[in-house]
Amino acid sequence: MDIDTGITQEVLTIKSEIKLIDIFNRIIEKKSQACVDYIDNLNINPNAKITVIGTYFTGIGIVKKLSEKYNNILLIDIYPHLEELLYTNIGGKLINDVKFSSNLDLIYDGDIVIDTTGFGGINVEQSSEFDVDVFLIEDPVAEDNDELLKNKNNIHDRLNVVNSKNKSIIKTKGIDTKTSGTMTLTIGVLTNVLNQISKKEGVLYSACEMGFFEEVIFKEKNIDKFIELTNKKAVKVSTINPFDLDEIILEEINKIESKMI
């Protein structure tokens, strides 16, 4: 545990060993593993054409996990600069090469299609053109605790019009967030952790290193800056009574579950 003195010798600053990128990756791993396990159970040929639509962040994790076994993977995203994420530590390590394209005409080329585009992504009309062996789609809603988001969610309509003998939904929830996005879940983990810490005896205050990274990724389009920002210890606490900060973070992450339904 990283401990330093605070303003005085009597007040200590404790820092988590867990970094922001570690939280991202643990959440992405849950989603990716559920998806890959489903595909593996179908005994798919390793050379089957797999198309993943959407990079941020479920898609990047899925293609990296799939690259451990499968050889013909295409990642499609309307933002060309997101290809850089393939060569970062976000979502794990890339084993076999993955092709990248921003050409949406290619979304129909796969034997297996995984749609992670969520709200405002691939629409029902586009979905009706799919005729594939396997079609998976990520549910952007987590707990169904927001009526507006629930009504906005059209993944069931999209899934219903797809022609495929193997169709399933990637469902991720567990910490009472509104959506299942990795960024949302990370903020949910950190918010819950800070709330728990604030109730501990001897704690003055706590803070996390989380920022509004969406602007860095999509407005500034600076992936290097984003990676640098996430490579920081996730939580810091001012306290007179040190405790295991990482244990609290891991307990919260472990509440998250991702499965195919």
Side-chain angles (χ1 to χ4, degrees):
M1 182 166 56
D2 188 344
I3 303 178
D4 198 0
T5 54
I7 298 173
T8 70
Q9 295 295 321
E10 294 185 10
V11 180
L12 302 173
T13 300
I14 60 174
K15 306 171 187 177
S16 65
E17 294 297 335
I18 293 173
K19 298 179 179 180
L20 289 175
I21 194 170
D22 299 325
I23 300 176
F24 287 139
N25 282 344
R26 284 176 181 269
I27 295 169
I28 294 169
E29 168 70 17
K30 290 173 183 281
K31 298 179 179 184
S32 303
Q33 193 62 57
C35 182
V36 172
D37 285 347
Y38 179 90
I39 293 173
D40 284 348
N41 286 334
L42 296 175
N43 295 316
I44 300 296
N45 188 311
N47 294 314
K49 295 173 68 176
I50 303 176
T51 300
V52 178
I53 313 168
T55 302
Y56 169 85
F57 282 122
T58 305
I60 198 70
I62 289 173
V63 297
K64 287 185 176 183
K65 178 66 72 174
L66 286 169
S67 77
E68 296 174 7
K69 179 177 179 180
Y70 299 93
N71 308 309
N72 194 353
I73 304 170
L74 173 64
L75 177 61
I76 297 177
D77 200 290
I78 61 172
Y79 294 98
H81 72 285
L82 293 188
E83 181 180 4
E84 296 175 44
L85 289 171
L86 283 169
Y87 312 108
T88 69
N89 290 328
I90 288 288
K93 186 177 180 181
L94 189 65
I95 305 301
N96 290 315
D97 288 341
V98 170
K99 298 175 184 176
F100 182 93
S101 178
S102 290
N103 182 0
L104 289 181
D105 291 338
L106 298 178
I107 63 175
Y108 303 108
D109 283 358
D111 303 308
I112 301 169
V113 172
I114 305 169
D115 178 2
T116 72
T117 57
F119 295 117
I122 300 300
N123 60 36
V124 175
E125 183 179 356
Q126 289 171 305
S127 299
S128 68
E129 299 297 320
F130 285 111
D131 187 355
V132 292
D133 295 332
V134 182
F135 187 89
L136 309 181
I137 190 166
E138 182 176 27
D139 190 346
V141 168
E143 310 285 351
D144 287 335
N145 54 11
D146 186 299
E147 200 65 27
L148 287 178
L149 290 173
K150 183 178 179 180
N151 292 336
K152 181 73 173 176
N153 187 12
N154 69 349
I155 65 151
H156 296 285
D157 295 331
R158 284 150 64 179
L159 192 63
N160 286 339
V161 298
V162 169
N163 184 21
S164 177
K165 59 184 178 182
N166 298 294
K167 297 192 284 188
S168 191
I169 296 169
I170 308 166
K171 183 71 175 179
T172 308
K173 61 180 183 177
I175 56 171
D176 201 32
T177 55
K178 292 185 177 184
T179 71
S180 64
T182 301
M183 197 68 78
T184 302
L185 289 167
T186 299
I187 293 172
V189 165
L190 292 169
T191 299
N192 293 348
V193 165
L194 293 180
N195 286 337
Q196 287 186 52
I197 291 170
S198 69
K199 299 173 184 176
K200 281 187 166 291
E201 292 289 322
V203 169
L204 283 71
Y205 67 93
S206 58
C208 67
E209 292 291 344
M210 191 73 182
F212 198 74
F213 296 146
E214 185 176 305
E215 289 184 336
V216 178
I217 297 169
F218 292 101
K219 299 300 182 183
E220 298 178 31
K221 298 183 179 180
N222 192 334
I223 300 301
D224 288 339
K225 179 180 177 180
F226 166 67
I227 296 300
E228 182 180 350
L229 290 170
T230 61
N231 200 34
K232 295 181 179 180
K233 296 186 175 185
V235 179
K236 298 178 182 179
V237 181
S238 178
T239 182
I240 60 172
N241 184 30
F243 54 90
D244 191 335
L245 194 47
D246 291 309
E247 182 179 353
I248 297 175
I249 297 172
L250 290 174
E251 284 178 358
E252 200 62 30
I253 294 172
N254 288 339
K255 294 176 184 177
I256 299 170
E257 65 169 358
S258 192
K259 61 183 180 180
M260 308 305 297
I261 60 173

